[in-house]
Amino acid sequence: MATLEGGLLGSDPGALSPAQLEQLRNFKIQTRIANEKYLRTHKEVDLLISGFFREMFLQRPDNIREFAAEYFTDPRLPNKIHRQLIKEKKEA
């Protein structure tokens, strides 16, 4: 196994048996399905992420981590998301 930059170890394709690889593949598929179901039932997650990206692209901050911290800790954010959810329900 090769050591990558920063001391990390590279992948070892022979580390898992074929049965383990199949089990891992199925786990990944089920996880993606579960995540998709969760996101479809929680519209607020989509509103949070899309709102963050919209503001980030509009403002183009130099320090994205600081911008993200400020965006997601804004005390007005929950009300903003709540209003957007109500607006979308009325439009549907």
Side-chain angles (χ1 to χ4, degrees):
M1 185 175 297
T3 302
L4 302 175
E5 184 179 332
L8 299 174
L9 297 177
S11 64
D12 184 0
L16 298 177
S17 70
Q20 289 172 318
L21 287 170
E22 182 64 22
Q23 199 173 15
L24 178 60
R25 183 182 149 296
N26 288 333
F27 174 77
K28 287 180 178 181
I29 290 169
Q30 293 306 313
T31 300
R32 285 183 187 215
I33 291 170
N35 290 345
E36 182 67 27
K37 286 179 181 178
Y38 181 84
L39 291 174
R40 287 180 189 221
T41 58
H42 294 282
K43 181 66 178 160
E44 64 274 15
V45 175
D46 181 51
L47 292 172
L48 280 167
I49 294 170
S50 63
F52 170 72
F53 278 111
R54 180 179 54 251
E55 291 300 316
M56 181 186 64
F57 288 129
L58 287 172
Q59 296 184 31
R60 301 208 181 263
D62 291 329
N63 187 332
I64 293 178
R65 287 183 183 171
E66 185 178 306
F67 176 81
E70 290 174 11
Y71 181 85
F72 287 111
T73 59
D74 183 344
R76 299 169 296 179
L77 186 58
N79 287 335
K80 181 179 176 182
I81 297 300
H82 182 70
R83 285 192 309 272
Q84 288 176 319
L85 286 169
I86 291 171
K87 181 182 174 187
E88 287 191 5
K89 271 189 175 180
K90 287 181 181 178
E91 292 174 353

